[in-house]
Every structure is written in C-alpha cells, then in structure tokens.
Amino acid sequence: MRHPARNRWLIAGLALIVAATVVVSTGAHHVPDPAISPALAQRTPDAARGEYIAVLGDCAFCHTKAGGPSYAGGLALSSPLGTIYSSNITPDRDTGIGAYTLADFVRVMRLGVKPDGTRLYPAMPYTAYARVTDEDLQDLFAYLQSSIAPVPLASHATDIAWPLSIRWPLALWDAAFHDDSRFVTDGSQDPQWNRGAYLVQGLAHCGTCHTPRGLFFEEKDLRGRSNLYLSGARLDASSPINLRGNGGDGLGRWSVADIATLLKSGRTEHSAATGPMADAVRHSTQYMTDQDVMSIAIYVKSLTPAPEGGRASFVASESTIGSIMAGSERSPGGRIYLDSCAACHRLSGSGENSTFPTLAGNPSVLSADPSSLIGVILEGARAPSTAAAPSGLTMPGFGWRYSDADIAALATFTRSSWGNDAPPVTAAKVAGIRDQLHISRPDY
C-alpha cells in the first residue's frame, strides 16, 4: 500500500538533513577570528620569556616522541576514538608552523583551528589554552619561531577510523562545549592565588587530565566554577586523582607545602608521582619557579571537596597490622601483600619517608577508579628524577607473576586496609587494564 503523503514528508526531511549538513559543513570550515588585542602589534615579543611559557605548558613533552627531534611531534596520544599523534611545531615552513602568522598560532591555541580551517581534536588542550593571555601566546610563538631548529617532518596521520576521522563535526563539539573566553581575575582573592588559578586553568592545563568528562568527552567544568573541576578522571589506562579537598581520595590531608614539594621533586614525605603525572613533573613542573609552584599549590589547596557520593574515605586504623602481627591475616590479597609488597611499603602501609609511598590514605589507592593502582601493580613505576630528588626510584611490575584475580585481590586488600575504605577491584577490571598496557599473563 502506497503512502504518497508520508513519502513526500520523508523526502522533504531527507532534503532538510542534506541541506543542514551542507550548511554546517561549510560553516565548519570557516576560519574564525582569534580575537587578538590590536595593542599587541605595538609590543615586542620576548622569546626568552616564551621558553618559560613552553615549560609551563609542557609543550616539549607532548610534541616530542621518544628518540625524536624536539618539538617535531609524533607522540602517540590515546583517545576514545583512536590514536592521535602530536604535530610538528618546529618552524619548518612545510611541515611545521614556520609559515604561521601570530594570528594563525593564537587561533590554533585558543580555538583549535588550523590556518586552512581544519579542526583539531581536543586532545590538544586548546580548551585550557583559551585562558592564556595575548602576551604569553605572543612570547611562546616568538620562542618557537626563533629558538627551535626547523625539522622537515610531516605529522603522523591519526589512527581514527572513518567516519569518526571526519573533522568538520568537531565544529559542533566546539559550539556545544568549548568556552574560549580569557582568564578573569577573582577580585576576592590575592595575586598569588590568581596566578595559581591562571596557571592551573590555562597553561598547565591540569583539568585536561584531572577533570571528569561527559558522554562526548567534554570536560565537565573548564573554569573551576563547580566542585567537579579537578575532581578526578579516567585517562587511558590511568585514573588521575581528585585534587580537591576531600579527606579520602582527595588532597584534604595534604598541606600547601606537600603539593608544592610534589610538583617540584616528584615525591613528598608520603607519596610519589606516577604515570602521566610523573612525566609532567619530569618535563614541566620541576622547572617552574618556586613562586609559580607555590601559587599553584595555594590555588589547588583552596578547592572545596568534590561531591562525596560514592567516594572512598580514610580513617587511620591499627586493625590491619594487628591482624598481620597476630597471624590472622589470611586473605589472598593479604598473603600477596606480605610476600611482594610489605618489604618496601611496610606492614603498616606507611612506606618509607620520601622513598616508598605510603599506601594508607593515599589518594591514588583510594581513587573511585582504581586504574592507576592496577597499572602500577602490573607494570611497575619509576619516580621522576628531578633536581630536588635526583634518584629515580623504581618499583618493579608484577604482571608477569600474578594473575588478574591475584592482582584484583591485592588491590582490594590495599584499598581496604589501614583505614582505607574503597570498593573492591574485580579481575575483569584488571584484565582490561592489562590488555590496554599490553602486559602478558603468567604462564600457569
């Protein structure tokens, strides 16, 4: 039976969809105005200061693959869509940014749009760099153009499958989620707090890793307006911790000095940087001025607790060591801990001052997502070697030795001992992290 009216509506609807797609696609290739202040044309850029801006933004690490030329790109960055590779930002005119104008550079940094209108994936944290001042971007551009050797190396294509590899729909993502406004000073706070907020929200792009993301991979808060900002996230096979003031999985029990010390040295009296944070310390935060590190620490310490629903807690307890000393600790995870972990982290989970991290009350141990803890157990970790703490202490990995069920039991024991109160870890969760890290299983 024919339905001519319904068919006409269907044809009309399809025509509208096609027309809308053409309009959106055309608009998506529009090259937007980066909104640079006209006064900037009268300013002389400072390339030496730009070098420090590059340190604050950790530019060299993200744009340099292992063993490759500095700033020539090629570092693989995992994303929910597939692997993205960082671009060449040396001043080579054909494959780098040598042909860029300042406006081109600012547009990329703030809006994620290349000179030809191509949209960047938000793996490049333009969502944070939008906060950065005109002067800082001008100095950074001067440094990259005048102080970095040009490298003729074409950027690596992404490993994202079609149709997700189509770039123009990113314009819709930007319209929905990207706030490109500059940082605004908070008049109720002092200059040091505001400097810390500017760095954390902008150049240091802390939210890129530490702020949870929504269904479309958007950061749930870009400007620190809510207590979701920096409240912990999942990043590839790691789980960057909650940086807010929660007493369990956050930094509520840390002092400003603790935070500053971690940023400068990679470790504190009780903890150590691992995973992506170890790289940030190794390549960026250890080289920041003491004043900037302290400003970041003051800002982070001022953050109120994240929503407590479902978060782990910590109340120091002697019950675990009491059970161990009495010989009554017989859980599978407890036995593995005594065999493979207690020599360094101690029966009390207290670790060793500035050497082996404390496990009792450690935010990485208590994180709602145990991915980082699992990853460290599976593949080990190496503390960054810094000027303040030059010994790059290493923890061996145990993925070769223990099954998924064993490591789940160990992680569960660690998350529920010495006053830690975090949910158990499943073998399936361990298996997923193991596969992401490409760590083989024991041959038994």
Side-chain angles (χ1 to χ4, degrees):
M1 184 176 182
R2 297 180 178 275
H3 298 279
R6 187 170 66 184
N7 290 341
R8 285 196 298 271
W9 279 110
L10 179 60
I11 293 170
L14 289 173
L16 284 173
I17 292 173
V18 171
T21 300
V22 171
V23 170
V24 171
S25 178
T26 301
H29 288 89
H30 169 67
V31 180
D33 181 359
I36 305 173
S37 169
L40 204 65
Q42 308 304 317
R43 180 180 180 272
T44 300
D46 185 342
R49 183 172 177 273
E51 182 176 12
Y52 181 62
I53 301 299
V55 167
L56 294 174
D58 202 7
C59 304
F61 172 69
C62 285
H63 288 275
T64 307
K65 71 176 181 180
S70 296
Y71 292 99
L75 182 71
L77 304 168
S78 296
S79 81
L81 303 180
T83 303
I84 299 167
Y85 297 87
S86 63
S87 59
N88 182 347
I89 58 170
T90 72
D92 182 72
R93 293 188 62 84
D94 296 322
T95 63
I97 63 171
Y100 277 33
T101 65
L102 176 60
D104 292 333
F105 181 72
V106 173
R107 185 185 299 108
V108 166
M109 293 293 287
R110 286 183 176 160
L111 303 174
V113 181
K114 296 172 69 174
D116 64 359
T118 301
R119 298 271 167 168
L120 300 182
Y121 292 103
M124 191 284 196
Y126 59 86
T127 51
Y129 294 150
R131 306 280 166 271
V132 180
T133 65
D134 286 349
E135 292 78 11
D136 280 353
L137 291 180
Q138 185 186 37
D139 289 346
L140 175 59
F141 183 60
Y143 166 68
L144 293 174
Q145 292 286 64
S146 65
S147 304
I148 302 298
V151 178
L153 185 63
S155 295
H156 195 298
T158 68
D159 292 339
I160 299 174
W162 189 90
L164 296 177
S165 60
I166 298 173
R167 299 290 186 114
W168 67 258
L170 290 168
L172 303 178
W173 190 95
D174 289 334
F177 304 118
H178 182 36
D179 175 3
D180 64 356
S181 59
R182 302 298 83 73
F183 175 79
V184 177
T185 299
D186 185 342
S188 68
Q189 300 287 349
D190 63 28
Q192 192 167 27
W193 184 97
N194 275 291
R195 174 65 176 175
Y198 171 72
L199 293 175
V200 169
Q201 294 177 24
L203 285 164
H205 58 281
C206 302
T208 301
C209 293
H210 290 275
T211 297
R213 294 180 180 261
L215 179 62
F216 297 99
F217 202 60
E218 78 282 7
E219 293 171 50
K220 292 186 175 180
D221 184 343
L222 289 167
R223 302 186 63 182
R225 289 173 169 168
S226 74
N227 60 2
L228 289 177
Y229 184 64
L230 301 181
S231 63
R234 171 74 190 277
L235 180 68
D236 198 15
S238 66
S239 46
I241 66 168
N242 172 16
L243 300 182
R244 302 188 70 88
N246 302 75
D249 70 345
L251 302 184
R253 289 173 288 106
W254 289 41
S255 67
V256 169
D258 288 335
I259 299 170
T261 298
L262 182 77
L263 295 173
K264 203 68 178 173
S265 70
R267 67 194 74 170
T268 69
E269 182 179 349
H270 305 295
S271 190
T274 61
M277 190 63 208
D279 288 328
V281 172
R282 186 178 293 112
H283 298 283
S284 178
T285 62
Q286 70 159 316
Y287 300 111
M288 294 181 183
T289 65
D290 291 343
Q291 184 175 5
D292 277 347
V293 165
M294 187 57 67
S295 295
I296 290 173
I298 288 170
Y299 171 70
V300 169
K301 185 59 183 176
S302 75
L303 300 175
T304 58
E308 287 287 356
R311 292 186 180 276
S313 61
F314 171 73
V315 178
S317 170
E318 299 290 330
S319 62
T320 302
I321 191 170
S323 298
I324 292 173
M325 298 303 294
S328 59
E329 176 52 65
R330 298 189 178 93
S331 69
R335 290 197 298 270
I336 294 171
Y337 182 83
L338 292 174
D339 182 56
S340 298
C341 311
C344 293
H345 296 286
R346 307 307 187 215
L347 298 179
S348 61
S350 60
E352 189 65 34
N353 187 3
S354 300
T355 305
F356 305 123
T358 299
L359 302 180
N362 189 314
S364 290
V365 174
L366 292 168
S367 176
D369 187 323
S371 297
S372 285
L373 174 63
I374 295 169
V376 167
I377 296 172
L378 283 169
E379 68 174 357
R382 183 179 181 85
S385 177
T386 61
S391 58
L393 299 172
T394 301
M395 171 184 158
F398 293 96
W400 64 273
R401 181 175 183 180
Y402 294 119
S403 69
D404 296 339
D406 289 336
I407 289 176
L410 174 58
T412 296
F413 172 81
T414 305
R415 284 162 61 85
S416 60
S417 299
W418 314 293
N420 292 342
D421 186 15
V425 176
T426 66
K429 178 70 173 179
V430 175
I433 299 298
R434 186 193 291 271
D435 291 343
Q436 281 187 271
L437 296 175
H438 307 291
I439 296 175
S440 60
R441 290 171 170 78
D443 294 327
Y444 63 78

